[in-house]
Amino acid sequence: MVLVFRDVSIRKQQEAQLQANELRLRRMAEAMPQIVWVTRSDGYRDYYNRRWYEFTGVSPEECLGWQWQDLLHPDDREKSVSRWRESLRTGEPFENEHRYRAKDGSYRWFLARALAVRDDDGQVMNWYGTCTDIEEFKRTADERERFFSLVKNSSEFIAICNFDGNPNYINPSGLRLIGLEELPEQPQLTFQDFLFAEDQSYVLNDFLPSVIEYGQGETEVRFKNVTSHDARWMSINAFVIYGTDGSREGLGTVSRDITERRRLEDHLRRLAADLSEADQRKDEFLATLAHELRNPLAPLRNGLQVLKFGQLKPEDDLQIREMMERQLGQMVRLVDDLLDVSRITRNKLELRREHVSLKDVLQNAVETSRPLINEFKHDLKLHLPDNDVYVDADFTRLSQVFANLLNNAAKYTEPGGLIELAVSPQAHQVIVSVKDNGVGIPAPMLVKIFEMFTQVDRTLERSQGGLGIGLTLVKRLVELHGGKVEASSAGHGHGSEFRVTLPLVASPRAFDDGNHLPSQRIANRDVTNRIMVVDDNVDSANSLALLLKMMGYDVRIVHDGLSAVDLFDEFQPTIVLLDIGLPKLNGYDACRRIRERRLGTRAKIIAITGWGQENDRRRSREAGFDAHLVKPIDPTNLERLLVSTLQS
Ligand code: ADP
């Protein structure tokens, strides 16, 4: 009996001990900031601590019959339950991160851990678990991940380095920029590895110390690609990086590739410099232009004055007239060049090409330049091949090229010099050289002289000035013909040579234009040829009429389109020289109306106008004109045209 009594008391003692332990544990569990829970093997609630009720807002009565997973975020439920089953199967502790619903309906992240307690047969009796709130930790980790992906995917160069300049992180774009696939561990990369030698002193001795002192700094410097040694201009923003305890941990940079911007800036700077140079050249040009246009006016006025007095000896009379002709020719040349240059700058210059004989072109050019060459008493030597060669060219324009070069050779050579014009045909091209033994061209100017308004020496007092546009025209015209022009000179006082290269064509093709007919004088002109001159500029009309009368024609003048049509019937001219811009009825309409008259189709009607573009020529052709002459008319050309028109 005594024994039995003792047994019971021991058991009771043990039970009391157990209860006390459980009470202690429960009190501990109640005091814990985590959720603590115990479930049965099937997951139904056995015990939840106070934190659970506080968090979920559910009372013990309400959650009767709930399983532990009932408050899980729907997206996390499947993974959580499968992990739980897994640990049920393996006996390993359960661990999972998932979201629990709070009493306000929001979810927070928890780290759940649980352990199964099993009986002697290995059957799970209970689950003991805790849930630790990891919401803040999760948020920080997410934020860190977001920042990291920002840095990783940024196209900027982002790096962190220690104060010795050894990078311990460079983002992928940064690595690519300096030509690396990854940051090498050994040998350790240093900042100066991707700086050019000439920039290192500034960056390492000035820029970085200032960043360290003031905490931040900006500069622009080139980075070197360590593989290709290519340079990229970078806009650097560098700063000191601080640890959470406020200590200075190293340097960081977010730098941007500004190579393209720098390139554009350089381009703009050069453009601005060019523009201001061009501006200066234009100002000089305008001054020269005024000077050059005024130059021939004085002798012309003097000449007119002398002629007014009359009673000159025949040789003086001839001399005065020749001088006036020369000066006028000079003015016409200037204005022609100016117009051509304006066409060139507006891309309006058109060629009327055909297969022409180079010999004819050069003869024409020599004829044009002969007066100037003779005036300076130069010796002109021609070296032409026995067999002629042909080029696909605009006869007038190509003649103009060589006349310009010959004129320059004459102008820039001391009197009594030697000018040589040589033709060297080759397989598919021909080289024409114009060489003189004149003042020569300094080497730095050899290319520049082809630029608009460029003159080697503007201050030089020259007897034959220019505008600095002749060679621009030459170059452009030669290029329009598919060729090129180069200048060479052994320097000041050693003469110059201009070589024009042009493509050859195999065979000649006949001219289809009366303009280049060889000059021929008419011995017995038919005085019955009547010419009607129509021009609203009275001086222009009168002087032209005078010239034509002196050539032996019967001439009548009218000053507007309607009068021209009226006079046509009465006068019945064989040739009509018709201006285009006319009062009352313009030249095109006047021409059309004349063509409708009884004798209108037989008359030759020639347009005389200031407009010489292909478009203008086409319009006059369409209006019924036979030919198109551009003012001012060269009397010799007019005479040739009249002859050929009358013969056709
Ligand atoms: P311009 O003769 O009207 O000044 P160009 O364009 O024909 O203009 O020539 C430009 C400059 O090139 C001339 O001012 C002159 O300084 C130089 N030049 C051209 N041809 C010769 C030459 N044959 N010898 C020396 N200098 C030349």
Side-chain angles (χ1 to χ4, degrees):
M1 285 297 281
V2 172
L3 264 176
V4 170
F5 184 76
R6 260 183 74 192
D7 280 347
V8 169
S9 78
I10 287 168
R11 208 175 61 234
K12 286 231 160 158
Q13 247 179 341
Q14 282 173 337
E15 277 174 6
Q17 186 68 41
L18 222 69
Q19 270 174 0
N21 279 350
E22 190 172 323
L23 195 65
R24 256 205 310 275
L25 282 173
R26 278 190 186 229
R27 281 198 184 129
M28 245 162 69
E30 293 301 316
M32 279 173 76
Q34 280 111 328
I35 290 172
V36 178
W37 49 267
V38 181
T39 65
R40 299 202 307 255
S41 59
D42 52 10
Y44 284 98
R45 178 190 78 106
D46 213 356
Y47 164 77
Y48 292 154
N49 71 348
R50 184 181 316 175
R51 173 85 179 106
W52 190 90
Y53 294 109
E54 279 168 5
F55 176 75
T56 60
V58 178
S59 69
E61 293 72 34
E62 280 172 312
C63 66
L64 275 175
W66 283 19
Q67 284 187 298
W68 65 271
Q69 63 264 47
D70 285 348
L71 286 177
L72 279 182
H73 190 289
D75 292 350
D76 302 340
R77 204 167 287 165
E78 193 182 319
K79 183 175 148 217
S80 232
V81 171
S82 101
R83 285 234 169 135
W84 178 58
R85 293 221 175 89
E86 180 70 9
S87 65
L88 207 59
R89 190 176 61 78
T90 59
E92 291 296 316
F94 166 79
E95 182 168 318
N96 193 39
E97 287 177 7
H98 48 219
R99 284 160 289 181
Y100 255 125
R101 199 177 68 210
K103 59 180 167 213
D104 62 0
S106 66
Y107 284 90
R108 286 179 77 84
W109 278 98
F110 284 88
L111 169 67
R113 280 207 171 124
L115 203 61
V117 174
R118 297 170 191 261
D119 62 16
D120 295 342
D121 303 331
Q123 290 300 312
V124 172
M125 298 193 313
N126 289 99
W127 285 93
Y128 289 81
T130 59
C131 293
T132 311
D133 188 332
I134 55 165
E135 181 69 23
E136 288 308 315
F137 170 80
K138 268 279 205 204
R139 246 186 228 162
T140 323
D142 278 358
E143 248 162 45
R144 195 176 301 143
E145 187 49 46
R146 269 201 298 276
F147 271 114
F148 191 60
S149 118
L150 194 75
V151 168
K152 228 167 62 183
N153 295 310
S154 167
S155 57
E156 320 272 286
F157 179 103
I158 300 179
I160 297 172
C161 66
N162 61 22
F163 287 111
D164 295 331
N166 303 120
N168 34 45
Y169 175 78
I170 299 179
N171 71 340
S173 295
L175 285 169
R176 264 196 305 278
L177 193 124
I178 54 169
L180 291 174
E181 273 179 20
E182 54 187 25
L183 203 57
E185 281 182 13
Q186 284 304 329
Q188 214 176 15
L189 193 72
T190 79
F191 197 38
Q192 67 216 65
D193 288 337
F194 45 92
L195 288 177
F196 284 92
E198 55 270 38
D199 299 331
Q200 284 180 3
S201 164
Y202 158 69
V203 176
L204 303 176
N205 302 332
D206 295 340
F207 177 64
L208 285 184
S210 134
V211 173
I212 293 168
E213 186 176 346
Y214 298 107
Q216 193 266 347
E218 280 158 22
T219 191
E220 288 184 5
V221 76
R222 291 165 311 160
F223 274 5
K224 181 176 70 178
N225 183 306
V226 295
T227 325
S228 67
H229 289 204
D230 280 348
R232 305 296 302 178
W233 271 102
M234 303 297 293
S235 162
I236 312 251
N237 177 14
F239 38 82
V240 172
I241 292 183
Y242 295 90
T244 40
D245 59 354
S247 61
R248 294 154 75 91
E249 291 198 336
L251 293 172
T253 180
V254 178
S255 303
R256 171 167 297 180
D257 185 342
I258 51 160
T259 313
E260 193 54 20
R261 197 198 79 197
R262 293 286 294 219
R263 202 183 58 75
L264 281 174
E265 279 173 3
D266 283 353
H267 183 66
L268 284 177
R269 245 192 302 278
R270 272 200 303 276
L271 214 62
D274 285 356
L275 278 178
S276 92
E277 197 191 312
D279 211 38
Q280 192 190 340
R281 281 218 306 266
K282 190 197 73 195
D283 286 349
E284 287 171 3
F285 162 75
L286 287 176
T288 316
L289 176 62
H291 177 253
E292 293 304 321
L293 284 177
R294 220 172 277 137
N295 257 354
L297 287 178
L300 275 173
R301 183 177 272 168
N302 294 343
L304 280 171
Q305 210 56 30
V306 171
L307 289 178
K308 235 187 205 169
F309 286 126
Q311 296 167 347
L312 285 176
K313 281 189 253 160
E315 62 269 26
D316 289 342
D317 187 80
L318 183 68
Q319 194 192 343
I320 288 285
R321 284 172 200 281
E322 278 178 356
M323 178 275 287
M324 288 176 72
E325 211 169 297
R326 236 184 3 256
Q327 297 300 334
L328 192 69
Q330 167 75 356
M331 277 196 85
V332 169
R333 253 198 316 278
L334 283 180
V335 174
D336 278 351
D337 277 3
L338 272 176
L339 287 175
D340 284 347
V341 138
S342 127
R343 281 181 201 122
I344 275 188
T345 47
R346 287 179 298 130
N347 257 339
K348 285 266 161 71
L349 201 123
E350 292 161 4
L351 297 183
R352 296 197 291 152
R353 294 169 84 150
E354 54 206 344
H355 291 190
V356 297
S357 136
L358 189 61
K359 208 180 255 174
D360 285 351
V361 170
L362 294 176
Q363 251 159 21
N364 199 305
V366 168
E367 235 176 72
T368 312
S369 304
R370 185 62 83 179
L372 203 62
I373 295 173
N374 289 348
E375 193 190 326
F376 283 94
K377 301 191 171 52
H378 294 313
D379 184 10
L380 173 66
K381 280 207 164 68
L382 302 181
H383 307 282
L384 304 179
D386 293 337
N387 294 328
D388 199 3
V389 289
Y390 295 87
V391 283
D392 183 22
D394 182 320
F395 182 89
T396 317
R397 293 305 191 179
L398 201 56
S399 297
Q400 191 183 351
V401 165
F402 295 110
N404 258 334
L405 292 177
L406 287 167
N407 279 351
N408 276 352
K411 279 178 357 186
Y412 301 107
T413 300
E414 288 298 316
L418 174 66
I419 300 173
E420 289 176 274
L421 175 66
V423 175
S424 333
Q426 291 167 356
H428 302 291
Q429 57 184 30
V430 58
I431 297 172
V432 183
S433 143
V434 180
K435 196 171 166 188
D436 62 58
N437 61 352
V439 299
I441 301 166
M445 294 302 287
L446 283 172
V447 175
K448 283 200 146 199
I449 47 171
F450 292 102
E451 288 172 16
M452 192 96 79
F453 313 142
T454 304
Q455 296 184 306
V456 174
D457 188 356
R458 281 182 185 281
T459 59
L460 202 70
E461 270 306 310
R462 296 182 306 252
S463 53
Q464 295 286 334
L467 297 174
I469 53 182
L471 286 180
T472 312
L473 276 175
V474 165
K475 181 166 188 281
R476 193 76 188 99
L477 285 173
V478 169
E479 284 169 357
L480 283 175
H481 281 93
K484 61 174 183 178
V485 55
E486 293 154 315
S488 60
S489 168
H492 190 68
H494 291 94
S496 319
E497 183 179 4
F498 287 80
R499 284 157 67 88
V500 174
T501 309
L502 291 167
L504 283 176
V505 288
S507 60
R509 208 195 296 148
F511 301 144
D512 53 5
D513 186 329
N515 277 339
H516 324 308
L517 285 175
S519 168
Q520 50 176 260
R521 304 229 147 234
I522 315 161
N524 297 310
R525 186 173 290 115
D526 178 0
V527 284
T528 60
N529 280 326
R530 288 175 298 277
I531 300 185
M532 177 165 77
V533 173
V534 192
D535 195 335
D536 58 334
N537 183 322
V538 177
D539 284 346
S540 198
N542 287 345
S543 54
L544 180 59
L546 201 62
L547 191 69
L548 292 167
K549 278 178 187 162
M550 286 165 73
M551 288 178 181
Y553 294 101
D554 181 6
V555 187
R556 297 279 285 274
I557 308 171
V558 279
H559 302 299
D560 66 82
L562 280 182
S563 310
V565 181
D566 288 346
L567 183 68
F568 183 82
D569 286 340
E570 180 205 322
F571 183 47
Q572 296 186 2
T574 24
I575 292 181
V576 181
L577 296 177
L578 183 54
D579 189 13
I580 299 285
L582 285 172
K584 297 190 184 164
L585 189 66
N586 71 39
Y588 297 126
D589 292 338
C591 179
R592 280 192 197 97
R593 291 218 197 154
I594 290 174
R595 289 292 185 215
E596 288 162 7
R597 318 302 291 188
R598 195 169 54 84
L599 296 170
T601 46
R602 279 195 6 216
K604 302 288 177 192
I605 310 180
I606 299 170
I608 296 195
T609 161
W611 308 107
Q613 290 302 100
E614 189 48 44
N615 198 26
D616 306 315
R617 292 175 194 278
R618 185 180 48 74
R619 282 188 72 188
S620 54
R621 245 193 328 270
E622 284 168 6
F625 282 95
D626 292 299
H628 184 112
L629 282 183
V630 180
K631 288 179 185 173
I633 304 165
D634 178 339
T636 324
N637 277 348
L638 178 62
E639 194 182 355
R640 283 180 197 166
L641 183 67
L642 292 177
V643 172
S644 69
T645 310
L646 289 169
Q647 283 170 349
S648 64

